[in-house]
Amino acid sequence: MKRFEIIDGMRGYFLVFMVLNHLIFAGGYFLVKINHNQLAFVEDAQGFVFLSGLMIGMVYARKMMKGGYAAGRTAIYSRAFELYRYAMGIVIAVLVAQMLLPGAYSVWFNWLGYTNFDDPLRLAAIATFLYQPTFMDILPQYIVYMLFAPMLIKLVLDDKWHYVVAASIMMWMAGQLGLHQIATIPINELIMGSDDQGIRVSFNLFGWQIVFFSGLVLGALTSSGKINWGKILSPDNTFIPKVALVLVMFFLPLRLITANELMPAYMIGKFASMEIRADFGPVYLLNFAAMGLLVTWLLVAGPQHKANWVRNIASAVTWVFTLRYLRLLGRHSLYVYVWHVAIVYFVYYFDGRTPELGEWTKTAIALTAVGLLSIPALWRERDKLLGTAESAPAKNLKSPKPAAQSVPQQMVIR
């Protein structure tokens, strides 16, 4: 199960940096600069979306192979409905808090707009994911993708994964060309509210779906045994990490330049057109693919490489993604993600109601927020931590299933 522990550690890692990136203070704060997104065009949301697709492909492909297409489809839709309940629940919780906390309406206006229980059109837009308050935009994306997941997993299991990949690439290109606006512009005018906001989303689904569905294809191929990772990610096959490293090093100075606003004015327009985060533009696609391949190769093949320095780097990367705290967060990523939204909104409210905080105070609050992320995870594992969990039945001890044959539901990403 080590591979799942590392995936949990990755999810925990992304959660930690997500809360650090989402904490907003007047004047900013230094700790947010100690971040991988300062060195590459790679961010936490990309990792979350990809890992979601990967685990959904792995888990539900196995369910389909065991129980048939209908069983897998039912399980996926059941999970999607659970995510929908949490997505709506956090919105309702924040709107209630807005009613109860003095001055919350003005502090949160940039994040919520005019969103209240007395505006049925806005509530309907939220319920249909056309209007997504700030930092409440990842779960809606997952849910939409999961509606198509059963059919696509079945295509992969039927050896038609090429069609899935081709369709995903075409959709991504449509997103880059803005073809989705044929539908979104009229809808935006239809649902425009009194705050002059209609459709409000952070992610172009046409663009970002390539991250999710590429993970789904790889996950389904893995569970069905249609891909030999041992051959592809071997210590002797260094073509993949070398190409990935070249791409990473090519974009490194560009990221340093853009992060520090040093790019010449005559270059900004052209570069910016290729670096649209909302559309998951070519710069983000190439960076994420390169970094993902490089890290994966280090985790799988790096420990067996003949070069000592490569083994040391692989050991360091593995150590980070297997930290107990990160794995704890990752095992309960849905609940931790929802809880992180509450933390971020409260900190923003507190910062908006006080004089500008000092750098040390901001850092202390940020580190405290990282610690508080574990509350829902610790609560869900309280029986195990307190030693009160019931022992497994004797019949399960006699004939346990091999680890590779079962994946706990909690390992499915949100």
Side-chain angles (χ1 to χ4, degrees):
M1 296 296 290
K2 186 176 181 180
R3 68 180 184 273
F4 295 121
E5 292 178 354
I6 290 177
I7 291 176
D8 281 336
M10 287 181 172
R11 289 187 293 181
Y13 173 87
F14 292 135
L15 281 166
V16 167
F17 280 96
M18 184 176 290
V19 76
L20 292 177
N21 289 329
H22 288 176
L23 290 175
I24 306 298
F25 294 101
Y29 74 116
F30 176 75
L31 190 59
V32 77
K33 296 295 184 180
I34 305 175
N35 198 303
H36 52 264
N37 68 12
Q38 299 295 302
L39 301 175
F41 296 92
V42 179
E43 301 177 352
D44 311 304
Q46 301 162 20
F48 258 3
V49 173
F50 177 80
L51 290 177
S52 295
L54 179 70
M55 290 302 292
I56 287 171
M58 292 178 68
V59 173
Y60 294 108
R62 185 172 291 122
K63 287 183 179 293
M64 285 189 186
M65 290 186 293
K66 183 179 180 179
Y69 174 73
R73 180 187 58 196
T74 300
I76 291 174
Y77 287 163
S78 175
R79 184 63 171 167
F81 183 59
E82 180 185 10
L83 299 187
Y84 184 81
R85 294 198 302 270
Y86 278 99
M88 294 300 102
I90 189 62
V91 173
I92 293 172
V94 168
L95 291 182
V96 170
Q98 180 181 245
M99 294 172 59
L100 300 177
L101 296 176
Y105 175 82
S106 59
V107 173
W108 288 339
F109 183 81
N110 288 339
W111 289 8
L112 295 173
Y114 179 76
T115 303
N116 249 312
F117 289 114
D118 61 358
D119 186 349
L121 181 61
R122 176 57 52 80
L123 295 178
I126 290 176
T128 53
F129 300 146
L130 295 173
Y131 189 96
Q132 299 167 14
T134 300
F135 302 138
M136 299 185 194
D137 41 25
I138 288 184
L139 291 186
Q141 186 179 183
Y142 290 172
I143 295 166
V144 172
Y145 296 154
M146 289 180 74
L147 296 178
F148 300 94
M151 175 183 62
L152 300 183
I153 292 175
K154 187 177 186 303
L155 287 173
V156 175
L157 295 179
D158 292 341
D159 290 324
K160 297 178 180 178
W161 61 270
H162 317 79
Y163 299 109
V164 178
V165 173
S168 181
I169 293 173
M170 290 175 62
M171 291 289 287
W172 176 81
M173 184 57 69
Q176 306 313 303
L177 298 175
L179 301 185
H180 58 285
Q181 297 180 78
I182 296 173
T184 58
I185 294 299
I187 295 175
N188 181 71
E189 297 298 325
L190 182 64
I191 66 171
M192 185 74 70
S194 58
D195 52 6
D196 295 327
Q197 296 187 51
I199 292 180
R200 174 175 172 160
V201 297
S202 298
F203 303 102
N204 177 350
L205 296 182
F206 278 41
W208 278 76
Q209 54 76 31
I210 198 169
V211 185
F212 183 91
F213 290 130
S214 62
L216 180 144
V217 169
L218 292 175
L221 288 173
T222 300
S223 284
S224 58
K226 299 179 184 294
I227 187 168
N228 186 352
W229 288 114
K231 182 178 180 180
I232 297 174
L233 302 175
S234 70
D236 298 325
N237 183 6
T238 58
F239 175 78
I240 289 177
K242 286 178 180 177
V243 172
L245 183 60
V246 168
L247 279 171
V248 170
M249 296 308 297
F250 172 79
F251 281 105
L252 173 60
L254 291 172
R255 182 56 187 139
L256 292 175
I257 290 172
T258 56
N260 294 281
E261 300 180 355
L262 299 176
M263 181 168 284
Y266 58 83
M267 291 178 58
I268 292 177
K270 180 66 174 178
F271 187 82
S273 68
M274 305 286 283
E275 186 231 353
I276 301 175
R277 177 183 181 272
D279 294 337
F280 200 68
V283 170
Y284 281 98
L285 179 61
L286 289 172
N287 268 255
F288 181 72
M291 187 63 73
L293 285 170
L294 184 59
V295 170
T296 303
W297 186 89
L298 285 170
L299 290 171
V300 176
Q304 287 79 43
H305 195 267
K306 60 184 178 181
N308 186 56
W309 66 273
V310 174
R311 294 197 302 271
N312 289 337
I313 294 175
S315 177
V317 173
T318 302
W319 177 79
V320 170
F321 291 135
T322 55
L323 288 172
R324 291 185 63 185
Y325 187 71
L326 299 184
R327 287 187 284 121
L328 171 67
L329 298 180
R331 286 196 296 271
H332 308 280
S333 55
L334 166 62
Y335 311 97
V336 174
Y337 170 79
V338 173
W339 177 236
H340 119 277
V341 174
I343 292 174
V344 167
Y345 268 77
F346 176 79
V347 171
Y348 189 50
Y349 172 78
F350 176 77
D351 183 72
R353 298 281 290 176
T354 59
E356 184 170 340
L357 304 173
E359 190 61 46
W360 286 107
T361 303
K362 296 175 183 177
T363 301
I365 292 174
L367 294 177
T368 301
V370 171
L372 291 176
L373 278 178
S374 62
I375 289 178
L378 292 172
W379 174 255
R380 289 180 58 79
E381 294 195 8
R382 63 190 182 280
D383 290 341
K384 182 170 67 174
L385 294 172
L386 298 174
T388 58
E390 296 182 2
S391 300
K395 62 180 181 181
N396 290 340
L397 298 177
K398 291 179 182 179
S399 57
K401 293 183 179 179
Q405 297 299 315
S406 63
V407 182
Q409 179 66 21
Q410 65 188 23
M411 290 184 178
V412 182
I413 298 179
R414 288 199 298 280

mmCIF file of all heavy atoms in Angstrom, residues 368-406:
data_model
loop_
_atom_site.group_PDB
_atom_site.id
_atom_site.type_symbol
_atom_site.label_atom_id
_atom_site.label_comp_id
_atom_site.label_asym_id
_atom_site.label_seq_id
_atom_site.Cartn_x
_atom_site.Cartn_y
_atom_site.Cartn_z
ATOM 1 N N THR A 368 -0.282 28.440 12.452
ATOM 2 C CA THR A 368 -1.400 27.922 13.241
ATOM 3 C C THR A 368 -2.472 27.333 12.342
ATOM 4 O O THR A 368 -3.047 26.282 12.633
ATOM 5 C CB THR A 368 -2.007 29.044 14.110
ATOM 6 O OG1 THR A 368 -0.994 29.571 14.978
ATOM 7 C CG2 THR A 368 -3.169 28.517 14.934
ATOM 8 N N ALA A 369 -2.727 27.997 11.216
ATOM 9 C CA ALA A 369 -3.718 27.490 10.261
ATOM 10 C C ALA A 369 -3.301 26.127 9.726
ATOM 11 O O ALA A 369 -4.139 25.232 9.562
ATOM 12 C CB ALA A 369 -3.888 28.489 9.115
ATOM 13 N N VAL A 370 -2.013 25.956 9.445
ATOM 14 C CA VAL A 370 -1.527 24.655 8.977
ATOM 15 C C VAL A 370 -1.769 23.586 10.029
ATOM 16 O O VAL A 370 -2.183 22.465 9.724
ATOM 17 C CB VAL A 370 -0.025 24.739 8.621
ATOM 18 C CG1 VAL A 370 0.542 23.349 8.351
ATOM 19 C CG2 VAL A 370 0.186 25.633 7.414
ATOM 20 N N GLY A 371 -1.526 23.927 11.307
ATOM 21 C CA GLY A 371 -1.781 22.973 12.376
ATOM 22 C C GLY A 371 -3.259 22.650 12.531
ATOM 23 O O GLY A 371 -3.629 21.489 12.757
ATOM 24 N N LEU A 372 -4.101 23.668 12.379
ATOM 25 C CA LEU A 372 -5.545 23.468 12.544
ATOM 26 C C LEU A 372 -6.145 22.622 11.417
ATOM 27 O O LEU A 372 -7.250 22.081 11.574
ATOM 28 C CB LEU A 372 -6.259 24.818 12.593
ATOM 29 C CG LEU A 372 -5.995 25.671 13.844
ATOM 30 C CD1 LEU A 372 -6.681 27.028 13.709
ATOM 31 C CD2 LEU A 372 -6.464 24.965 15.105
ATOM 32 N N LEU A 373 -5.448 22.500 10.292
ATOM 33 C CA LEU A 373 -5.944 21.664 9.202
ATOM 34 C C LEU A 373 -6.220 20.241 9.655
ATOM 35 O O LEU A 373 -7.085 19.553 9.105
ATOM 36 C CB LEU A 373 -4.925 21.632 8.053
ATOM 37 C CG LEU A 373 -4.902 22.784 7.061
ATOM 38 C CD1 LEU A 373 -3.782 22.556 6.047
ATOM 39 C CD2 LEU A 373 -6.235 22.934 6.346
ATOM 40 N N SER A 374 -5.485 19.777 10.652
ATOM 41 C CA SER A 374 -5.582 18.372 11.058
ATOM 42 C C SER A 374 -6.816 18.055 11.887
ATOM 43 O O SER A 374 -7.095 16.880 12.147
ATOM 44 C CB SER A 374 -4.336 17.978 11.860
ATOM 45 O OG SER A 374 -4.252 18.753 13.054
ATOM 46 N N ILE A 375 -7.570 19.066 12.327
ATOM 47 C CA ILE A 375 -8.701 18.810 13.237
ATOM 48 C C ILE A 375 -9.699 17.805 12.669
ATOM 49 O O ILE A 375 -10.031 16.819 13.342
ATOM 50 C CB ILE A 375 -9.389 20.140 13.621
ATOM 51 C CG1 ILE A 375 -8.472 20.945 14.550
ATOM 52 C CG2 ILE A 375 -10.733 19.881 14.295
ATOM 53 C CD1 ILE A 375 -9.047 22.294 14.957
ATOM 54 N N PRO A 376 -10.221 17.982 11.456
ATOM 55 C CA PRO A 376 -11.173 16.977 10.956
ATOM 56 C C PRO A 376 -10.540 15.612 10.758
ATOM 57 O O PRO A 376 -11.195 14.584 10.971
ATOM 58 C CB PRO A 376 -11.649 17.565 9.617
ATOM 59 C CG PRO A 376 -10.623 18.568 9.234
ATOM 60 C CD PRO A 376 -10.066 19.104 10.505
ATOM 61 N N ALA A 377 -9.270 15.569 10.381
ATOM 62 C CA ALA A 377 -8.593 14.286 10.200
ATOM 63 C C ALA A 377 -8.430 13.567 11.532
ATOM 64 O O ALA A 377 -8.675 12.358 11.641
ATOM 65 C CB ALA A 377 -7.237 14.503 9.535
ATOM 66 N N LEU A 378 -8.014 14.304 12.553
ATOM 67 C CA LEU A 378 -7.856 13.702 13.886
ATOM 68 C C LEU A 378 -9.198 13.240 14.429
ATOM 69 O O LEU A 378 -9.292 12.184 15.077
ATOM 70 C CB LEU A 378 -7.215 14.708 14.845
ATOM 71 C CG LEU A 378 -5.749 15.076 14.554
ATOM 72 C CD1 LEU A 378 -5.297 16.216 15.455
ATOM 73 C CD2 LEU A 378 -4.849 13.848 14.745
ATOM 74 N N TRP A 379 -10.246 14.008 14.183
ATOM 75 C CA TRP A 379 -11.564 13.617 14.653
ATOM 76 C C TRP A 379 -12.030 12.323 13.999
ATOM 77 O O TRP A 379 -12.575 11.442 14.668
ATOM 78 C CB TRP A 379 -12.570 14.740 14.375
ATOM 79 C CG TRP A 379 -13.992 14.360 14.706
ATOM 80 C CD1 TRP A 379 -14.979 14.054 13.829
ATOM 81 C CD2 TRP A 379 -14.552 14.242 16.009
ATOM 82 N NE1 TRP A 379 -16.136 13.740 14.485
ATOM 83 C CE2 TRP A 379 -15.917 13.845 15.841
ATOM 84 C CE3 TRP A 379 -14.063 14.419 17.292
ATOM 85 C CZ2 TRP A 379 -16.764 13.637 16.910
ATOM 86 C CZ3 TRP A 379 -14.917 14.208 18.371
ATOM 87 C CH2 TRP A 379 -16.246 13.824 18.178
ATOM 88 N N ARG A 380 -11.775 12.187 12.725
ATOM 89 C CA ARG A 380 -12.211 10.992 12.013
ATOM 90 C C ARG A 380 -11.378 9.765 12.383
ATOM 91 O O ARG A 380 -11.838 8.640 12.204
ATOM 92 C CB ARG A 380 -12.157 11.235 10.503
ATOM 93 C CG ARG A 380 -13.228 12.187 10.003
ATOM 94 C CD ARG A 380 -13.138 12.407 8.505
ATOM 95 N NE ARG A 380 -13.252 11.150 7.762
ATOM 96 C CZ ARG A 380 -14.383 10.510 7.494
ATOM 97 N NH1 ARG A 380 -15.529 11.007 7.939
ATOM 98 N NH2 ARG A 380 -14.377 9.396 6.808
ATOM 99 N N GLU A 381 -10.185 9.974 12.905
ATOM 100 C CA GLU A 381 -9.349 8.852 13.328
ATOM 101 C C GLU A 381 -9.261 8.741 14.843
ATOM 102 O O GLU A 381 -8.360 8.110 15.385
ATOM 103 C CB GLU A 381 -7.949 8.991 12.726
ATOM 104 C CG GLU A 381 -7.925 8.856 11.216
ATOM 105 C CD GLU A 381 -6.522 8.634 10.654
ATOM 106 O OE1 GLU A 381 -5.583 8.427 11.463
ATOM 107 O OE2 GLU A 381 -6.373 8.660 9.414
ATOM 108 N N ARG A 382 -10.219 9.380 15.535
ATOM 109 C CA ARG A 382 -10.148 9.431 16.993
ATOM 110 C C ARG A 382 -10.166 8.052 17.633
ATOM 111 O O ARG A 382 -9.475 7.812 18.635
ATOM 112 C CB ARG A 382 -11.285 10.289 17.538
ATOM 113 C CG ARG A 382 -12.692 9.754 17.240
ATOM 114 C CD ARG A 382 -13.757 10.785 17.589
ATOM 115 N NE ARG A 382 -15.109 10.290 17.366
ATOM 116 C CZ ARG A 382 -15.696 10.239 16.170
ATOM 117 N NH1 ARG A 382 -15.042 10.653 15.095
ATOM 118 N NH2 ARG A 382 -16.932 9.778 16.050
ATOM 119 N N ASP A 383 -10.956 7.125 17.072
ATOM 120 C CA ASP A 383 -11.017 5.791 17.658
ATOM 121 C C ASP A 383 -9.668 5.087 17.572
ATOM 122 O O ASP A 383 -9.229 4.438 18.528
ATOM 123 C CB ASP A 383 -12.089 4.944 16.949
ATOM 124 C CG ASP A 383 -13.498 5.416 17.266
ATOM 125 O OD1 ASP A 383 -13.662 6.124 18.286
ATOM 126 O OD2 ASP A 383 -14.418 5.095 16.502
ATOM 127 N N LYS A 384 -9.006 5.223 16.444
ATOM 128 C CA LYS A 384 -7.695 4.592 16.287
ATOM 129 C C LYS A 384 -6.662 5.251 17.188
ATOM 130 O O LYS A 384 -5.830 4.579 17.804
ATOM 131 C CB LYS A 384 -7.256 4.679 14.826
ATOM 132 C CG LYS A 384 -5.921 4.016 14.545
ATOM 133 C CD LYS A 384 -5.639 3.919 13.060
ATOM 134 C CE LYS A 384 -5.442 5.270 12.438
ATOM 135 N NZ LYS A 384 -5.031 5.168 11.014
ATOM 136 N N LEU A 385 -6.728 6.583 17.299
ATOM 137 C CA LEU A 385 -5.756 7.297 18.106
ATOM 138 C C LEU A 385 -5.937 7.021 19.587
ATOM 139 O O LEU A 385 -4.967 6.957 20.350
ATOM 140 C CB LEU A 385 -5.870 8.805 17.842
ATOM 141 C CG LEU A 385 -5.493 9.257 16.423
ATOM 142 C CD1 LEU A 385 -5.835 10.729 16.237
ATOM 143 C CD2 LEU A 385 -4.006 9.029 16.169
ATOM 144 N N LEU A 386 -7.207 6.860 19.998
ATOM 145 C CA LEU A 386 -7.498 6.600 21.416
ATOM 146 C C LEU A 386 -7.472 5.124 21.761
ATOM 147 O O LEU A 386 -7.676 4.745 22.924
ATOM 148 C CB LEU A 386 -8.870 7.190 21.781
ATOM 149 C CG LEU A 386 -9.000 8.712 21.636
ATOM 150 C CD1 LEU A 386 -10.435 9.155 21.891
ATOM 151 C CD2 LEU A 386 -8.049 9.422 22.613
ATOM 152 N N GLY A 387 -7.274 4.299 20.728
ATOM 153 C CA GLY A 387 -7.208 2.867 20.976
ATOM 154 C C GLY A 387 -8.537 2.232 21.272
ATOM 155 O O GLY A 387 -8.597 1.177 21.920
ATOM 156 N N THR A 388 -9.631 2.848 20.767
ATOM 157 C CA THR A 388 -10.964 2.311 21.045
ATOM 158 C C THR A 388 -11.590 1.660 19.825
ATOM 159 O O THR A 388 -12.735 1.235 19.862
ATOM 160 C CB THR A 388 -11.909 3.425 21.530
ATOM 161 O OG1 THR A 388 -11.970 4.444 20.530
ATOM 162 C CG2 THR A 388 -11.393 4.025 22.830
ATOM 163 N N ALA A 389 -10.839 1.584 18.714
ATOM 164 C CA ALA A 389 -11.395 0.960 17.510
ATOM 165 C C ALA A 389 -11.597 -0.524 17.744
ATOM 166 O O ALA A 389 -10.786 -1.198 18.375
ATOM 167 C CB ALA A 389 -10.447 1.174 16.329
ATOM 168 N N GLU A 390 -12.706 -1.038 17.232
ATOM 169 C CA GLU A 390 -13.015 -2.442 17.418
ATOM 170 C C GLU A 390 -12.062 -3.311 16.608
ATOM 171 O O GLU A 390 -11.633 -2.951 15.522
ATOM 172 C CB GLU A 390 -14.458 -2.735 16.993
ATOM 173 C CG GLU A 390 -15.478 -2.024 17.861
ATOM 174 C CD GLU A 390 -16.890 -2.382 17.428
ATOM 175 O OE1 GLU A 390 -17.017 -3.197 16.490
ATOM 176 O OE2 GLU A 390 -17.832 -1.843 18.020
ATOM 177 N N SER A 391 -11.722 -4.440 17.164
ATOM 178 C CA SER A 391 -10.839 -5.363 16.467
ATOM 179 C C SER A 391 -11.552 -5.965 15.280
ATOM 180 O O SER A 391 -12.772 -6.119 15.266
ATOM 181 C CB SER A 391 -10.383 -6.484 17.410
ATOM 182 O OG SER A 391 -9.691 -5.943 18.519
ATOM 183 N N ALA A 392 -10.795 -6.310 14.263
ATOM 184 C CA ALA A 392 -11.392 -6.927 13.073
ATOM 185 C C ALA A 392 -11.923 -8.290 13.425
ATOM 186 O O ALA A 392 -11.365 -9.008 14.257
ATOM 187 C CB ALA A 392 -10.337 -7.038 11.975
ATOM 188 N N PRO A 393 -13.031 -8.747 12.815
ATOM 189 C CA PRO A 393 -13.572 -10.068 13.067
ATOM 190 C C PRO A 393 -12.537 -11.140 12.749
ATOM 191 O O PRO A 393 -11.699 -10.980 11.868
ATOM 192 C CB PRO A 393 -14.772 -10.152 12.101
ATOM 193 C CG PRO A 393 -15.126 -8.726 11.817
ATOM 194 C CD PRO A 393 -13.845 -7.983 11.875
ATOM 195 N N ALA A 394 -12.633 -12.251 13.466
ATOM 196 C CA ALA A 394 -11.664 -13.325 13.305
ATOM 197 C C ALA A 394 -11.625 -13.845 11.885
ATOM 198 O O ALA A 394 -10.569 -14.185 11.363
ATOM 199 C CB ALA A 394 -11.995 -14.470 14.267
ATOM 200 N N LYS A 395 -12.784 -13.875 11.214
ATOM 201 C CA LYS A 395 -12.813 -14.428 9.858
ATOM 202 C C LYS A 395 -12.001 -13.572 8.899
ATOM 203 O O LYS A 395 -11.451 -14.071 7.933
ATOM 204 C CB LYS A 395 -14.250 -14.543 9.355
ATOM 205 C CG LYS A 395 -14.985 -13.195 9.260
ATOM 206 C CD LYS A 395 -16.400 -13.403 8.741
ATOM 207 C CE LYS A 395 -17.140 -12.082 8.607
ATOM 208 N NZ LYS A 395 -18.511 -12.278 8.124
ATOM 209 N N ASN A 396 -11.903 -12.256 9.194
ATOM 210 C CA ASN A 396 -11.102 -11.410 8.333
ATOM 211 C C ASN A 396 -9.615 -11.635 8.567
ATOM 212 O O ASN A 396 -8.801 -11.422 7.690
ATOM 213 C CB ASN A 396 -11.430 -9.929 8.573
ATOM 214 C CG ASN A 396 -12.807 -9.569 8.066
ATOM 215 O OD1 ASN A 396 -13.350 -10.278 7.237
ATOM 216 N ND2 ASN A 396 -13.364 -8.481 8.574
ATOM 217 N N LEU A 397 -9.267 -12.060 9.781
ATOM 218 C CA LEU A 397 -7.869 -12.303 10.085
ATOM 219 C C LEU A 397 -7.384 -13.604 9.468
ATOM 220 O O LEU A 397 -6.207 -13.781 9.206
ATOM 221 C CB LEU A 397 -7.661 -12.354 11.604
ATOM 222 C CG LEU A 397 -7.997 -11.063 12.368
ATOM 223 C CD1 LEU A 397 -7.813 -11.272 13.854
ATOM 224 C CD2 LEU A 397 -7.124 -9.922 11.880
ATOM 225 N N LYS A 398 -8.290 -14.511 9.223
ATOM 226 C CA LYS A 398 -7.903 -15.803 8.674
ATOM 227 C C LYS A 398 -7.570 -15.718 7.196
ATOM 228 O O LYS A 398 -6.663 -16.381 6.732
ATOM 229 C CB LYS A 398 -9.053 -16.812 8.878
ATOM 230 C CG LYS A 398 -9.258 -17.185 10.344
ATOM 231 C CD LYS A 398 -10.423 -18.160 10.473
ATOM 232 C CE LYS A 398 -10.670 -18.517 11.942
ATOM 233 N NZ LYS A 398 -11.816 -19.440 12.085
ATOM 234 N N SER A 399 -8.325 -14.932 6.480
ATOM 235 C CA SER A 399 -8.091 -14.875 5.032
ATOM 236 C C SER A 399 -8.165 -13.443 4.524
ATOM 237 O O SER A 399 -9.118 -13.042 3.880
ATOM 238 C CB SER A 399 -9.145 -15.715 4.298
ATOM 239 O OG SER A 399 -10.446 -15.258 4.631
ATOM 240 N N PRO A 400 -7.153 -12.643 4.907
ATOM 241 C CA PRO A 400 -7.181 -11.245 4.464
ATOM 242 C C PRO A 400 -6.981 -11.131 2.964
ATOM 243 O O PRO A 400 -6.320 -11.955 2.354
ATOM 244 C CB PRO A 400 -5.977 -10.622 5.212
ATOM 245 C CG PRO A 400 -5.038 -11.777 5.423
ATOM 246 C CD PRO A 400 -5.921 -12.981 5.629
ATOM 247 N N LYS A 401 -7.564 -10.087 2.395
ATOM 248 C CA LYS A 401 -7.376 -9.836 0.979
ATOM 249 C C LYS A 401 -6.000 -9.214 0.772
ATOM 250 O O LYS A 401 -5.521 -8.448 1.601
ATOM 251 C CB LYS A 401 -8.451 -8.864 0.445
ATOM 252 C CG LYS A 401 -9.846 -9.451 0.462
ATOM 253 C CD LYS A 401 -10.803 -8.448 -0.139
ATOM 254 C CE LYS A 401 -12.221 -9.015 -0.166
ATOM 255 N NZ LYS A 401 -13.168 -8.042 -0.728
ATOM 256 N N PRO A 402 -5.363 -9.523 -0.345
ATOM 257 C CA PRO A 402 -4.082 -8.886 -0.639
ATOM 258 C C PRO A 402 -4.254 -7.380 -0.728
ATOM 259 O O PRO A 402 -5.281 -6.878 -1.160
ATOM 260 C CB PRO A 402 -3.697 -9.469 -2.014
ATOM 261 C CG PRO A 402 -4.490 -10.742 -2.114
ATOM 262 C CD PRO A 402 -5.762 -10.508 -1.365
ATOM 263 N N ALA A 403 -3.215 -6.667 -0.310
ATOM 264 C CA ALA A 403 -3.313 -5.208 -0.271
ATOM 265 C C ALA A 403 -3.666 -4.622 -1.620
ATOM 266 O O ALA A 403 -4.373 -3.641 -1.728
ATOM 267 C CB ALA A 403 -1.981 -4.616 0.221
ATOM 268 N N ALA A 404 -3.160 -5.229 -2.678
ATOM 269 C CA ALA A 404 -3.389 -4.659 -4.011
ATOM 270 C C ALA A 404 -4.807 -4.828 -4.494
ATOM 271 O O ALA A 404 -5.200 -4.250 -5.481
ATOM 272 C CB ALA A 404 -2.450 -5.327 -5.022
ATOM 273 N N GLN A 405 -5.609 -5.618 -3.766
ATOM 274 C CA GLN A 405 -6.964 -5.893 -4.234
ATOM 275 C C GLN A 405 -8.004 -4.962 -3.653
ATOM 276 O O GLN A 405 -9.149 -5.005 -4.035
ATOM 277 C CB GLN A 405 -7.338 -7.355 -3.866
ATOM 278 C CG GLN A 405 -6.465 -8.391 -4.537
ATOM 279 C CD GLN A 405 -6.572 -8.302 -6.028
ATOM 280 O OE1 GLN A 405 -7.658 -8.191 -6.569
ATOM 281 N NE2 GLN A 405 -5.439 -8.349 -6.709
ATOM 282 N N SER A 406 -7.634 -4.147 -2.686
ATOM 283 C CA SER A 406 -8.632 -3.273 -2.085
ATOM 284 C C SER A 406 -8.032 -1.915 -1.793
ATOM 285 O O SER A 406 -6.895 -1.796 -1.370
ATOM 286 C CB SER A 406 -9.187 -3.886 -0.781
ATOM 287 O OG SER A 406 -8.147 -4.016 0.171
#
